[in-house]
Amino acid sequence: MKLEWTFTAESYLDQLSPEERAKVLHAVGRLPMAWDRLGETRLQRLEGDQNDLYSLRVGADLRVLVRRQEDVVTVIDVVRYSQLDGLRRLAAVKQAAG
């Protein structure tokens, strides 16, 4: 499996502490070899229109958003869990109001 990074993901990676960056690189580096063994504990498919988008848990607060299309895994973004949680809450409020 081939691994690719988007500009957005690389940019956020550069903003992390050296320790967090090392954790992300280690976790992402294992993806091509261990995709099927990660299970739902660390790798979760995200709900929505794009069923090929996944969230990889790295530690307590970091999530790596990845897309798998055939033999290519693309790192879309690196985000803090608190950011994802905030976006989920906002989407729920918009949906309830809509």
Side-chain angles (χ1 to χ4, degrees), residues 46 53-55 63-67 74-77 79 84:
L46 298 178
L53 193 61
Y54 296 83
S55 172
R63 301 297 183 266
V64 180
L65 303 179
V66 297
R67 173 172 287 130
T74 304
V75 180
I76 304 296
D77 206 351
V79 297
L84 274 182

Side-chain angles (χ1 to χ4, degrees), residues 4 6 15 18 33 43 48 50-51 61 66 76 88:
E4 297 177 346
T6 64
Q15 297 175 27
M33 298 171 291
L43 186 66
Q50 301 176 357
N51 63 358
D61 193 43
V66 297
I76 304 296
R88 283 187 192 125

